[in-house]
Amino acid sequence: MERPGPSEVTGSDASGPDPQLAVTMGFTGFGKKARTFDLEAMFEQTRRTAVERSRKTLEAREKEEEMNREKELRRQNEDIEPTSSGSNVVRDCSKSSSRDTSSSESEESSGSSDDELIGPPLPLKMMKEPGNHIEEDIVGPLPPPLYEDAEDDDDDDDGDSEEEENPVQKIPDSHEITLKHGTKTVSALGLDPSGARLVTGGYDYDVKFWDFAGMDASFKAFRSLQPCECHQIKSLQYSNTGDMILVVSGSSQAKVIDRDGFEVMECIKGDQYIVDMANTKGHTAMLHTGSWHPKIKGEFMTCSNDATVRTWEVENPRKQRSVFKPRTAQGKKVIPTTCTYSRDGNLIAAACQNGSIQIWDRNLTVHPKFHYKQAHDPGTDTSCVTFSYDGNVLASRGGDDTLKLWDIRQFNKPLFSASGLPTMFPMTDCCFSPDDKLVVTGTSVQRGCGSGKLVFFERRTFQRVYEIDITDASVVRCLWHPKLNQIMVGTGNGLAKVYYDPNKSQRGAKLCVVKTQRKAKQAETLTQDYIITPHALPMFREPRQRSTRKQLEKDRLDPLKSHKPEPPVAGPGRGGRVGTHGGTLSSYIVKNIALDKTDDSNPREAILRHAKAAEDNPYWVSPAYSNLPHSVSSPPTSAGLSPKPCLPKLNLMMRKQRMSPNGKSVKSEDSHVKAICMRGRNIG
């Protein structure tokens, strides 16, 4: 009897070898036919398998729960340690289930190997043999965890609850590093979303960039610039993508720079002669602060002394996107001192100089959605407003030395208020902790009257739970980064401090404190660069460069290069060197000229002393007067008197007498020679 093929089992048409095909084609058939499957039967079998597995899992869990109840009863009655019977039962059950699974798999594999089927196992055969079910992955939701895992989870929950009860333990303040920005107030702090770079700005107009991964223990900034020339930096903030920085200064034009400090765009300045500020293209007065949109790339907001809050787009710096105009209850203009976006970016909040807080819908610029008139004292500058991470609570830091919490769902009164927090800067910060359980702000002090503090308030009760003494100056800026879990603080004496905990914090300051400070390598000698020219002619080829040590040893043996400088000369001088009265020849000559060398000798004798030499050698005098039309000298007289002295000879003697034989000028004889000449002319 022939064994039925797989096509018969699957319900396809069963037919033997075709004799006509053998006669015509030379072979009996094309081999095994393709199997067909009943999908509905397969789905039904899969559902039954899932139900069976789920039932077994539930039965095992019920048995486990019964065993655990028995354990609890034994603990309460006998007060002894629990035995491990329950775990053994679980192990036995798991072992038996694994054995059943392995046996079923082995039987299925043997059955499939006998048939030599191609493809997945047949569902009809599985229906005929219900004992040989293939236990595959469970279809449907996973069963709940076992009791042991539940106990571990309960322990973890207990630990978490303990930490929740005391949020002070999550404050990372065990370690700190100090970044030296300058000597003036650090009025702006910004940290990119990844926590890799910190940017600081101050009253000294400088903006400095700090790279935690590139710094060493020297804590030096890798770049410093002045993007707004001679305007104080009031606000710095990274965009939500971290590729741009919003720079708000004391000018009327905000700037956007990239991560390396290059300018991306600058807002246009409006026309200050237009009354309606909504008709101008930009701000017309000093800016206060700015903020990026948390969701939309390239959109940011600024507020100014022109009583407007404007939104901008980086792609369109020539005109603002929209204008919000805060108003008092009487409809008059009021200056906003700070502004911010909500966490989802749908709301815009601004605090004004009259003490009010106004909140608009981002798409509706006419009337505010929420308006509280007396949030803080009128006439004081509210320095900061910020939203919590859940978006329901607003914190405001007032110039009246208070910190208040507001629920925007019931914006009719503050939830909590804390006083006694002095502030002297128009940009004193406040922020929420990453878990939204703490509110942080800084305090200001007079110089030499204490130290500035960083104060922590619990959000639920608003009690002052912790304080950190920062430095002997005011605390202006504070920033708690959610990813790094590190606190950045800007102070009034030019310092930026970073607080972290090695166990609770991530990256940031932990990357640079472990790097040792690089030592500058100082070269002993400055050597000239050596140019290698292998194909140059011998007369142009430079000698081969040798080591510096050998060159120094060779120079030491040279008597000229290693000549010791002579000490200064004391006294009148010796060996051709000038004394201490002057180090140059000109100083020596000036000193000798100033000496008094009065000559009381007879000038006539001094002149006539050279008369014979002039007559014997007339080379210098006779050619000069040979071309004269008549003789200058007078002929002898009849009275027998001697002739008058010749004026050219007299002039020659006068020239010779002006310079002494040793080359020195004699001024005292000039007057006598001039008198002789005048006397000779009178005689003539």
Side-chain angles (χ1 to χ4, degrees), residues 203-471:
Y203 281 2
D204 54 358
Y205 322 131
D206 289 338
V207 174
K208 292 189 177 182
F209 294 80
W210 315 79
D211 189 359
F212 290 117
M215 280 194 304
D216 55 8
S218 61
F219 305 132
K220 293 183 179 179
F222 72 91
R223 183 164 294 133
S224 178
L225 52 94
Q226 291 184 355
C228 302
E229 297 178 353
C230 298
H231 293 284
Q232 296 177 352
I233 306 300
K234 294 192 172 184
S235 176
L236 293 171
Q237 188 179 6
Y238 274 90
S239 62
N240 53 358
T241 56
D243 58 344
M244 293 181 290
I245 305 172
L246 175 61
V247 182
V248 178
S249 63
S251 67
S252 60
Q253 297 173 270
K255 286 187 177 183
V256 177
I257 59 177
D258 60 4
R259 288 176 60 88
D260 297 325
F262 298 100
E263 183 176 331
V264 177
M265 63 89 71
E266 183 180 11
C267 298
I268 192 173
K269 184 177 181 180
D271 189 354
Q272 57 186 353
Y273 297 103
I274 296 178
V275 177
D276 188 2
M277 288 291 104
N279 296 328
T280 61
K281 297 181 179 180
H283 288 293
T284 61
M286 180 184 68
L287 298 176
H288 286 289
T289 187
S291 177
W292 285 99
H293 194 283
K295 303 295 182 181
I296 302 176
K297 180 181 178 181
E299 181 179 335
F300 62 92
M301 170 179 54
T302 56
C303 64
S304 170
N305 266 356
D306 60 0
T308 60
V309 177
R310 300 174 189 260
T311 59
W312 305 81
E313 292 178 350
V314 177
E315 292 79 8
N316 185 18
R318 307 304 300 174
K319 187 178 181 181
Q320 75 274 351
R321 179 183 174 273
S322 58
V323 181
F324 299 87
K325 297 185 291 184
R327 291 289 184 266
T328 62
Q330 293 78 20
K332 297 181 179 179
K333 293 182 179 180
V334 61
I335 296 175
T337 57
T338 183
C339 60
T340 186
Y341 280 101
S342 61
R343 296 292 175 176
D344 56 2
N346 295 329
L347 299 178
I348 292 177
C352 304
Q353 281 186 347
N354 64 344
S356 64
I357 295 179
Q358 304 182 26
I359 302 177
W360 293 269
D361 191 330
R362 174 177 167 271
N363 299 319
L364 301 176
T365 62
V366 180
H367 298 290
K369 187 176 182 180
F370 305 103
H371 187 185
Y372 194 81
K373 300 178 182 179
Q374 296 180 355
H376 294 277
D377 292 345
T380 60
D381 293 341
T382 303
S383 57
C384 179
V385 288
T386 181
F387 283 89
S388 61
Y389 286 94
D390 58 12
N392 297 326
V393 177
L394 178 71
S396 61
R397 182 70 164 92
D400 53 357
D401 302 342
T402 60
L403 175 66
K404 295 183 179 182
L405 286 186
W406 309 81
D407 190 347
I408 61 174
R409 295 167 296 186
Q410 297 178 355
F411 202 69
N412 51 8
K413 63 178 180 179
L415 294 176
F416 301 101
S417 178
S419 59
L421 303 171
T423 175
M424 296 182 295
F425 293 89
M427 65 279 299
T428 303
D429 254 340
C430 65
C431 63
F432 286 88
S433 62
D435 57 359
D436 260 351
K437 295 181 180 179
L438 296 174
V439 185
V440 189
T441 188
T443 61
S444 301
V445 293
Q446 297 286 347
R447 181 175 298 179
C449 298
S451 59
K453 297 180 180 180
L454 198 65
V455 186
F456 296 81
F457 293 90
E458 189 176 3
R459 175 181 166 180
R460 292 182 300 177
T461 61
F462 219 62
Q463 295 180 356
R464 185 181 295 195
V465 294
Y466 197 68
E467 291 180 356
I468 300 177
D469 290 336
I470 305 299
T471 183

Side-chain angles (χ1 to χ4, degrees), residues 483-502:
K483 288 187 177 180
L484 301 184
N485 194 24
Q486 299 178 10
I487 303 175
M488 286 71 182
V489 179
T491 63
N493 55 357
L495 301 180
K497 292 195 172 186
V498 182
Y499 289 86
Y500 68 97
D501 191 301

Side-chain angles (χ1 to χ4, degrees), residues 36-210:
T36 58
F37 302 97
D38 189 358
L39 296 180
E40 294 181 358
M42 292 175 65
F43 291 152
E44 182 65 22
Q45 183 62 28
T46 304
R47 187 186 65 80
R48 291 179 181 179
T49 304
V51 171
E52 185 67 21
R53 289 296 304 272
S54 301
R55 184 180 59 78
K56 291 181 179 181
T57 304
L58 293 175
E59 290 178 356
R61 188 188 176 198
E62 290 177 357
K63 292 180 181 180
E64 189 68 23
E65 291 178 353
E66 291 178 359
M67 298 300 296
N68 292 328
R69 293 193 191 97
E70 292 179 0
K71 287 181 184 180
E72 293 296 333
L73 293 175
R74 290 174 186 174
R75 290 175 187 172
Q76 295 176 2
N77 297 332
E78 300 177 2
D79 194 18
I80 59 174
E81 296 181 355
T83 59
S84 60
S85 60
S87 59
N88 293 334
V89 172
V90 175
R91 295 192 190 99
D92 295 339
C93 294
S94 61
K95 288 180 181 178
S96 61
S97 61
S98 62
R99 288 171 188 167
D100 296 339
T101 305
S102 60
S103 62
S104 61
E105 290 177 353
S106 61
E107 292 176 359
E108 181 63 27
S109 62
S110 62
S112 61
S113 62
D114 294 339
D115 295 338
E116 296 181 357
L117 299 178
I118 301 173
L122 302 177
L124 295 178
K125 187 176 180 181
M126 292 170 56
M127 293 174 63
K128 293 179 181 179
E129 298 178 0
N132 294 333
H133 293 299
I134 299 176
E135 297 184 359
E136 298 178 352
D137 296 338
I138 300 175
V139 179
L142 295 175
L146 297 178
Y147 190 76
E148 294 179 358
D149 297 336
E151 289 182 350
D152 297 338
D153 295 340
D154 292 341
D155 296 339
D156 297 339
D157 294 339
D158 294 340
D160 295 340
S161 62
E162 291 178 358
E163 293 182 358
E164 290 177 358
E165 292 176 357
N166 191 7
V168 179
Q169 296 179 357
K170 297 182 180 181
I171 299 176
D173 64 333
S174 60
H175 295 69
E176 65 173 298
I177 63 172
T178 301
L179 307 177
K180 181 67 175 179
H181 173 84
T183 57
K184 296 185 178 180
T185 301
V186 177
S187 57
L189 283 178
L191 196 61
D192 66 341
S194 62
R197 286 188 177 182
L198 174 69
V199 58
T200 59
Y203 281 2
D204 54 358
Y205 322 131
D206 289 338
V207 174
K208 292 189 177 182
F209 294 80
W210 315 79

